[in-house]
């Protein structure tokens, strides 16, 4: 997939928020399913259980439910790579596979309609084999003039920067307990774990922006959302531009954390891994590898 250079910082162009039909988030989650069918979100007052579902609060507890959840990654690694991975590698894979979609619960409605749901750790369940998320949303934040501002649970903030602060806080409130649950298995400190959160927010928004045909805006929005030094996130979106063989601009970034995939296949680093040199990145981004 060829990525384009980040757009210059301009006023965001956002689709007009539709008047609420089912919920203030139905349109955003329906759009997610249209462009990325392998991930679907259901809003529900009662979270599902059993049949492969795991509650985010159970992941945060760090007990038997987390053991069962990580056994999926352990089995997959043994099957796909014919080898055993270190426990911290398995935990890193499992955290990524939850945090990446969970961040989209917040960032995608913000990106599309400027609505930010509050999703405490007890409000989400995940069915990873089916690519399903269930979420119970009672409270959210929006901007003045949004038709949803009159609904129960709405909080109105004055401007875009205040809304970006709500996005950062909503993700942190949800992921913080989950990171605590994974921490003993990860062999990483707080800064490294929040670096992972920075990467999940940034790269999820980047990828969905590409699928939506709004990659330029996604790059610019992610840069404003995570400019760096916005606690608890230790780094920023930090996009930069490379020059392709035809003089084209190619967007890239250096991840704030490591996914540890290199421990399974040292020759196959991620394209945004700090271990991957710019020459190799250009080759991959232009299909010349």
């Amino acid at each position: 997939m060829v990525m384009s250079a980040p757009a210059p910082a301009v006023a965001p162009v956002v689709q007009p928020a539709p008047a609420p039909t089912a919920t203030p988030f139905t349109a955003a989650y329906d759009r997610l399913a249209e462009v990325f069918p392998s991930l679907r979100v259901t809003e529900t007052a009662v979270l599902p259980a059993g049949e492969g579902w795991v509650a985010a609060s159970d992941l945060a507890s760090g007990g038997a439910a987390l053991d069962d959840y990580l056994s999926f990654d352990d089995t997959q690694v043994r099957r796909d790579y014919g080898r055993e991975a270190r426990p911290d590698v398995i935990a890193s894979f499992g955290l990524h596979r939850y945090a990446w979609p969970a961040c989209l619960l917040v960032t995608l409605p913000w990106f599309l309609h400027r609505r930010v749901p509050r999703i405490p750790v007890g409000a989400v369940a995940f069915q990873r084999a089916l690519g399903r998320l269930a979420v119970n949303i009672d409270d959210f934040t929006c901007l003045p003039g949004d038709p949803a501002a009159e609904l129960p649970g709405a909080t109105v903030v004055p401007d875009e920067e205040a809304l970006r602060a709500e996005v950062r806080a909503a993700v942190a409130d949800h992921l913080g307990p989950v990171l605590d649950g994974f921490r003993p298995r990860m062999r990483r400190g707080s800064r490294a774990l929040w670096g992972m959160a920075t990467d999940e927010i940034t790269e999820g928004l980047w990828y969905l922006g590409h699928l939506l045909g709004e990659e330029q805006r996604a790059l610019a929005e992610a840069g404003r959302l995570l400019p760096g030094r916005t606690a608890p996130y230790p780094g920023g979106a930090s996009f930069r531009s490379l020059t392709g063989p035809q003089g084209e601009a190619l967007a890239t970034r250096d991840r704030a954390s490591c996914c540890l995939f290199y421990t399974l296949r040292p020759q196959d680093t991620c394209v945004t891994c700090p271990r991957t040199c710019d020459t190799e990145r250009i080759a991959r981004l232009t299909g010349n590898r």
Side-chain angles (χ1 to χ4, degrees):
M1 179 175 66
V2 177
M3 298 292 185
S4 304
V10 294
V13 178
V14 182
Q15 299 175 17
T21 51
T23 80
F25 304 98
T26 301
Y29 296 149
D30 285 351
R31 188 74 177 113
L32 171 63
E34 289 172 9
V35 299
F36 192 42
S38 58
L39 179 62
R40 295 178 180 271
V41 177
T42 300
E43 294 179 74
T44 177
V46 179
L47 296 179
E51 298 182 344
W53 287 94
V54 61
S57 57
D58 287 337
L59 297 181
S61 72
L66 181 55
D67 290 333
D68 290 343
Y69 174 83
L70 293 176
S71 69
F72 186 103
D73 297 278
D74 184 57
T75 299
Q76 185 179 49
V77 165
R78 293 171 187 269
R79 182 188 68 236
D80 293 349
Y81 304 109
R83 58 178 297 183
E84 183 178 355
R86 297 188 326 236
D88 60 310
V89 175
I90 294 297
S92 295
F93 288 2
L95 178 58
H96 163 68
R97 288 164 178 162
Y98 176 74
W100 191 91
C103 288
L104 291 173
L105 291 173
V106 175
T107 59
L108 194 63
W110 165 72
F111 181 72
L112 290 177
H113 304 305
R114 288 307 192 256
R115 293 170 183 166
V116 180
R118 282 286 183 169
I119 49 169
V121 73
V124 178
F126 183 40
Q127 218 292 4
R128 61 186 304 171
L130 300 178
R132 298 287 299 274
L133 281 164
V135 60
N136 178 18
I137 302 170
D138 291 325
D139 303 303
F140 66 97
T141 308
C142 61
L143 292 171
D146 187 324
E150 303 301 320
L151 293 176
T155 298
V156 178
V157 294
D159 54 33
E160 292 280 356
E161 181 50 42
L163 198 64
R164 284 190 285 270
E166 290 292 324
V167 175
R168 293 188 291 265
V171 174
D173 287 350
H174 181 78
L175 281 189
V178 176
L179 296 181
D180 287 341
F182 275 82
R183 186 191 308 273
R185 304 161 191 263
M186 298 278 293
R187 291 170 45 182
R188 304 195 198 188
S190 178
R191 182 180 178 84
L193 289 174
W194 283 107
M196 289 187 71
T198 303
D199 292 332
E200 307 299 1
I201 295 169
T202 303
E203 299 198 358
L205 191 57
W206 185 9
Y207 184 66
L208 264 294
H210 170 78
L211 295 182
L212 291 162
E214 296 192 73
E215 185 177 316
Q216 294 282 341
R217 186 167 74 85
L219 293 169
E221 296 274 28
R224 287 189 285 267
L225 178 65
L226 292 171
R229 298 181 181 178
T230 49
Y233 309 101
S238 303
F239 288 106
R240 56 191 179 89
S241 184
L242 303 174
T243 301
Q246 307 302 318
E248 68 272 38
L250 305 170
T252 191
R253 66 182 296 267
D254 294 324
R255 288 177 55 90
S257 66
C258 182
C259 70
L260 302 181
F261 184 71
Y262 79 92
T263 63
L264 297 177
R265 288 187 174 174
Q267 72 279 15
D268 288 339
T269 56
C270 302
V271 73
T272 54
C273 178
R275 295 168 177 262
T276 306
C277 69
D278 285 352
T279 301
E280 174 70 8
R281 295 184 191 211
I282 292 169
R284 292 196 204 179
L285 293 171
T286 56
N288 292 322
R289 181 185 182 222

